[in-house]
Amino acid sequence: MPVPIPRQRVIPAVENGHDGGAAPRTDRPTGSPTDITRDSAPGGTTGQEAEPASTAGQTTTDATGAPRTTGGPDGTGATPGPAAPTAAEAAEALARIAAGSAAHPGSGQTSTALTLLVIEDDPAGSLNIPSLLDSAELTVRVRTARNLTEAERLLTDDVHCILLDLALPAPGPEDELAVLRHVLRLAPRHAVLALTGAENSARGPEAVRVGAQDFLYRDELDGRLLSRAVRYAVERKRADHAQRQLTESRLRAQENARLERGLLPTPLLEGAPLRFAARYRPGRSRALLGGDFYDTVRTADGTVHAMIGDVCGHGPDEAALGVELRIAWRALTFAGLCGDQLLSTLQKVLENERPDDEIFATLCTVDISPDGRSAGLCLAGHPSPLIARQGHLAELLPYDDNGPALGLLPQARWPRRQVELGRSWSLMLYTDGLIEGRIGAGNQRLGQEGMVSLVRGLLAQGLRGDALLEAAMTEVRALNGGELTDDVAVLLLDRMVPTTR
């Protein structure tokens, strides 16, 4: 069950210095949070720590975290203080606190509202952080932990900074900074200030080198210095986090660029009377690449080889595996392999490179003869290409001899079917993400028949090449009611021979 956090007590800070009459209390329970706030009454008021609930003149916290006095010293009237906020004011103040800032009531100024966790074991009570912060220009909620166990319990998401006494007993092997290393592991997202003595002056810079944002000497500590150090540590931690995110984004961009070069290569079609167009869209939110891949090359005998494939899954591992399969396909194609021999070799590559045995890949390969009138088709669990011949309606190529996906059956075979293309044609290869989108709000999928009908309509409008693919992708997304959930790759080859009279 959750460990309850001790009830917070409020100490209004003195506007013009410390209270001349009240001595600081030293009986504060271990691990109890303390709010340090700024009193905004005209002319300043005396800083008093809240009395127990049974005492007249009790100070409590309202919904905004501001102090409010409920009874006068005589128990009959209210001591002047901030008025209770309305529900709207409370909600607004809570929103400001959640955003990391809060306004001083009545001052018209804004200051940062921070939570400081102090981890120190000071039997003499010489280190009084609330007293130090009374005159600081900062609104701080202070929590105090006497050891690392208490610190772990009090370390919640609303803590902005940790003030750590390096003199605490080490939790592990002998190491001057073992306590700091432990806290850094415990709170990797929090700013940390190291507190040390002047006699151990070398320990402070070493603490910064290990990971603290700054260090302070106990003997030189005052409210103004502590206030600046806390603000600096928090801002530096935020800046470090932002810089780390920027660096990670750049590294991801570089990795995605390398994967893009692998998944989406430049077609090698020099000398071929064909036009090439392609579109690629990953299904993962904010992703640049998925598990789909394609390639097109022309070998020395004039044959044009096209391929499109889909690795199951959507992560970077699948994308990397797609790159390996595409590169292997290009190398094997230039080596003269095709059909069943090529796909059997690709399956061996998949079996040796996939992260687990459940991963498989579908593939479609087309080998277009040098005269462009016929082609050899192999399907490994992949949807059949669409062909639009001049003077005929667009239709799917035969898919009766479709073999299994790569990686499913160890001894599988993939027959190569010869198909006639004609004189002028457009051949579209695609992955199943294009046909698995929904139609409207129901469960009906677009399917291959729906895709054929969609492409026929676009061809009737006179669209070809890039314009055809762009319009097809746009219409499929519109039918789906938004972005598709699966990766989509589409490849289009056109052969247009002028009609002779």
Side-chain angles (χ1 to χ4, degrees), residues 5 10 32 84 108 133 174 177 212 214 216 235 239 253 257 280 310-311 334 392 416 434 451 453 460 466 470 493:
I5 295 178
V10 174
S32 62
L133 287 171
E174 289 299 328
L177 298 177
D214 204 349
L216 299 168
E235 292 305 320
Y280 189 96
D310 182 1
V311 178
F334 279 128
H392 297 78
R416 182 172 180 268
L434 184 68
M451 181 204 63
S453 176
D466 286 304
E470 188 64 31
L493 291 172

Side-chain angles (χ1 to χ4, degrees), residues 34 257 263 348 384 447 482:
T34 305
L263 287 172
K348 293 179 182 178
S384 182

